[in-house]
Amino acid sequence: KQEVTQIPAALSVPEGENLVLNCSFTDSAIYNLQWFRQDPGKGLTSLLLIQSSQREQTSGRLNASLDKSSGRSTLYIAASQPGDSATYLCAGLNTGNQFYFGTGTSLTVIP
Amino acid sequence: GAGVSQSPRYKVAKRGQDVALRCDPISGHVSLFWYQQALGQGPEFLTYFQNEAQLDKSGLPSDRFFAERPEGSVSTLKIQRTQQEDSAVYLCASSLSSGRPYNEQFFGPGTRLTVL
């Protein structure tokens, strides 16, 4: 079974800082990797999807990279804003269409 | 529809009651997924449909859990004889297809189930 780990579990940064969230997975045979944002009491919002043949994806201030050989993905957030405060989840999709989620990184951006 | 919708958003049940949770996927999406998210944890896979066919139900925690998607669109997750450990947020997601590059999953807001 795929195990997904996210480090750190919680992060607090001042507004304007650049930051990196880490995701590691045990089974490199993933189909794709997706980063989500979850606000309290809400569902998941897809941020970036990286297919297994890709190395990275960018959307605005967000950049996600995938290194299948080392079993790692990172989410880079540039110039953080208070509105970025949320829990960030990574999930790896196996060929059986099962998504394995990490436990998330809770981000607080202090104004 | 514009996105995945779920109802009810909140459900309180007494232990032993049966509950039914509904998911309306994005129109035209072939694949539908159910997840269970306990407090402070990431979502855990329950089951997966492709159209009306339930292709994987390996994540269902017990035979009290049952899911269906009879016409390949709306899906219902039923939990019989609810127990306190069933308390969680139940998330539904859909994707256009199971094949790349259309397998990005879009999530609904979830149903928060509390079993007393």
Side-chain angles (χ1 to χ4, degrees):
Chain A
K1 178 184 172 182
Q2 177 77 270
E3 299 285 340
V4 181
T5 304
Q6 291 189 245
I7 295 173
L11 182 62
S12 183
V13 300
E15 182 177 1
E17 267 202 14
N18 303 325
L19 57 101
V20 176
L21 306 181
N22 297 292
C23 171
S24 61
F25 43 93
T26 54
D27 185 353
S28 62
I30 61 169
Y31 207 43
N32 67 30
L33 189 132
Q34 200 164 345
W35 280 93
F36 296 88
R37 168 187 174 136
Q38 187 171 33
D39 293 280
K42 302 290 179 64
L44 279 66
T45 301
S46 178
L47 297 174
L48 290 164
L49 167 68
I50 310 176
Q51 303 288 356
S52 63
S53 57
Q54 299 173 322
R55 294 293 301 271
E56 65 178 322
Q57 284 287 327
T58 298
S59 176
R61 295 183 293 108
L62 305 179
N63 175 275
S65 66
L66 174 63
D67 184 345
K68 287 184 61 179
S69 62
S70 65
R72 292 180 183 177
S73 177
T74 60
L75 178 66
Y76 176 82
I77 303 177
S80 58
Q81 302 172 357
D84 296 332
S85 298
T87 296
Y88 290 80
L89 294 156
C90 70
L93 184 71
N94 284 8
T95 54
N97 272 302
Q98 282 200 18
F99 244 153
Y100 291 96
F101 280 85
T103 52
T105 293
S106 177
L107 173 66
T108 302
V109 181
I110 304 166
Chain B
V4 179
S5 61
Q6 293 185 246
S7 60
R9 290 293 314 279
Y10 303 91
K11 177 69 178 178
V12 178
K14 292 183 180 178
R15 192 165 62 94
Q17 276 186 331
D18 297 348
V19 298
L21 312 180
R22 176 186 168 109
C23 173
D24 284 79
I26 294 173
S27 179
H29 276 199
V30 168
S31 300
L32 185 145
F33 306 81
W34 283 99
Y35 297 86
Q36 180 190 58
Q37 185 175 24
L39 190 64
Q41 301 296 314
E44 296 220 354
F45 171 85
L46 293 177
T47 187
Y48 157 59
F49 289 86
Q50 189 163 312
N51 294 307
E52 68 278 5
Q54 189 174 21
L55 298 187
D56 188 342
K57 55 181 181 180
S58 62
L60 296 176
S62 78
D63 58 8
R64 296 186 295 103
F65 286 70
F66 172 75
E68 60 183 4
R69 194 187 185 199
E71 297 179 359
S73 55
V74 172
S75 177
T76 303
L77 176 67
K78 298 179 179 178
I79 309 173
Q80 297 176 325
R81 304 181 303 282
T82 52
Q83 304 293 316
Q84 284 189 323
E85 61 263 28
D86 300 335
S87 296
V89 174
Y90 291 85
L91 295 164
C92 175
S94 70
S95 66
L96 184 60
S97 170
S98 60
R100 293 181 293 183
Y102 307 109
N103 54 6
E104 182 176 4
Q105 294 192 17
F106 297 88
F107 280 76
T111 294
R112 182 177 296 278
L113 173 65
T114 303
V115 182
L116 303 177

